[in-house]
Amino acid sequence: MADLDGTINAKDFGLDKPQTTPGFHIKGAGQLDFGMQHRLARIFGADGRTVMLAFDHGYFQGPTSGLERVDLNIVPLAPYVDALMATRGIFRSVVPAAVDNALVLRASGGPSILKELSNEHLAMDIEDAVRIDAAAAAVQVFVGGEYETQSIGSLTTLVDAGMRLGVPVMGVTAVGKDMVRTSRYFGLATRIIAELGAQLVKTYFVEEGFEEVTAACPVPIIMAGGKKLPVLDALTMAYKAVDQGAAGVDMGRNIFQRRAPIAMVQAVRAVVHDGAKPEAAADLYRELSGGQED
């Protein structure tokens, strides 16, 4: 019988000793095949970090605010980010094939916001990810949700398919309305996703213990942006996440719902890739946006 509680106080996350990655600059990827490494290197820069733009919300929310016209609101942001995260329908119908961003393809789906969201399945074959030239495929994982085992099954099925064809998989921790948002929960969820073979994990930032979440996850963690926050708060969250071990951010609403999205994405990039402090990045947003404070 596993000891679930007895060693909690004795845990050592080795926070003063970053995990090494022999022969490759992306955490946990040193022993992957060439194709996997090549695709991951398209997502992450030479500094091992990424700014990903998430606009896959429509697969269960429909045309949410800011995503009514992806061609008008999102495509102009592409030159400022490393990776684009969307569905195959949006990539094929709206995103110009000439973009040179890494593409992260939403691979799971099923219920809308009108139903139980954890009742997801895989919504595409891995071969279609290859046809689209995706750098990674993403699947939602509902640890603690009603359909937890089903979503983990989708993850492992996609990981197996990705291993055959050299496509990395990003496991996305999904938090339902009844799930806690603590470092203990996210430590559990991210470790499960990594242990079952995902090459990168997307999760939320928490104020207490986030560095333990990133330290205990053997593959890169990318911070999810979540709901729209005031500019300084969003940039502070991104700064803290990267400072505490995240390999970058995957932001959506905190960028495309701004009054000046192009200014905001440049401010986020300054935080992630240039190490700008939140206040300096907020000043950059105001400068580039003509004084916006949203």
Side-chain angles (χ1 to χ4, degrees), residues 35 100 103 129 205 235 256 293:
D100 60 0
L103 306 181
F205 176 76
L235 294 171
F256 63 69
E293 296 282 355

Side-chain angles (χ1 to χ4, degrees), residues 260 263 284-293:
L284 178 63
Y285 174 74
R286 282 189 290 270
E287 176 187 343
L288 295 176
S289 67
Q292 297 293 342
E293 296 282 355

Side-chain angles (χ1 to χ4, degrees), residues 13 56 99 115 128 137 160 225 273:
F13 291 93
D56 58 332
V99 299
K115 297 290 185 179
D128 210 22
D160 286 340
H273 284 300

Side-chain angles (χ1 to χ4, degrees), residues 16 56 62 71 90 193 220 258:
D16 59 335
D56 58 332
D71 57 329
I90 288 296
I193 290 169
R258 295 287 166 203

Side-chain angles (χ1 to χ4, degrees), residues 66 108 198 201 241 247 249-250:
S108 60
V201 179
V249 302
D250 186 16

